[in-house]
């Protein structure tokens, strides 16, 4: 069983930065792929970035060049560094994990989810 706990959300102004963290428990094999998603009320969950056990990363077009996903295996923690934030980045951000190194942005393939952390960017 894997448990995920996000933190680091908050309110910033346009152009500001935040770093989200996701503390993970459970076997590393159960979280061979980890991802960040975001979701606004009434909208579908959207993939933001993912990283696999080999360190391969991928980003949504909307955040590429502004966000960086990384993981510290010694601390069992996933990060999302967000720079040059825009009002359209305002969402609930979720950490997710799956037990395969093959990552996609399809939320249904992920086995485990955190409770989310809110990011609000004001203009």
């Amino acid at each position: 069983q894997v448990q995920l706990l996000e933190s680091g959300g908050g309110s910033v102004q346009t152009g500001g930065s935040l770093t989200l963290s996701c503390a993970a428990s459970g076997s590393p094999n159960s979280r061979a792929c980890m991802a960040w998603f975001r979701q606004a009320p009434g909208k579908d969950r959207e993939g933001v970035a993912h990283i696999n056990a080999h360190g391969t990363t991928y980003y949504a077009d909307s955040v590429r060049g502004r966000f960086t996903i990384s993981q510290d295996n010694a601390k069992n923690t996933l990060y999302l560094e967000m720079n040059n934030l825009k009002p359209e980045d305002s969402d609930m951000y979720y950490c997710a994990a799956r037990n395969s190194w093959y990552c996609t942005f399809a939320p249904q393939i992920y086995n485990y989810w955190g409770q989310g952390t809110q990011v609000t960017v004001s203009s």
Side-chain angles (χ1 to χ4, degrees):
Q1 188 72 12
V2 173
Q3 291 186 327
L4 304 172
L5 181 62
E6 302 97 334
S7 62
S11 297
V12 296
Q13 293 187 328
T14 297
S17 298
L18 283 173
T19 297
L20 306 183
S21 299
C22 173
S25 65
S27 168
N29 290 334
S30 297
R31 38 188 173 88
C33 169
M34 297 196 72
W36 288 99
F37 286 79
R38 63 188 183 187
Q39 187 174 24
K43 293 189 176 181
D44 292 335
R45 196 160 289 192
E46 173 192 20
V48 175
H50 57 65
I51 184 168
N52 67 16
H54 304 294
T56 302
T57 60
Y58 188 80
Y59 299 90
D61 289 343
S62 58
V63 307
R64 188 173 290 116
R66 300 187 298 123
F67 291 11
T68 302
I69 188 172
S70 63
Q71 56 189 359
D72 185 332
N73 293 326
K75 295 182 178 180
N76 294 323
T77 302
L78 178 74
Y79 301 99
L80 184 69
E81 179 182 353
M82 306 185 294
N83 297 311
N84 191 20
L85 283 161
K86 305 175 181 180
E88 51 264 43
D89 294 319
S90 297
D91 272 324
M92 184 72 78
Y93 282 71
Y94 298 91
C95 171
R98 72 177 304 228
N99 54 10
S100 167
W101 61 266
Y102 183 70
C103 296
T104 76
F105 280 148
Q108 62 270 24
I109 70 170
Y110 288 83
N111 308 104
Y112 307 101
W113 292 87
Q115 295 300 305
T117 185
Q118 179 68 41
V119 171
T120 303
V121 185
S122 58
S123 57

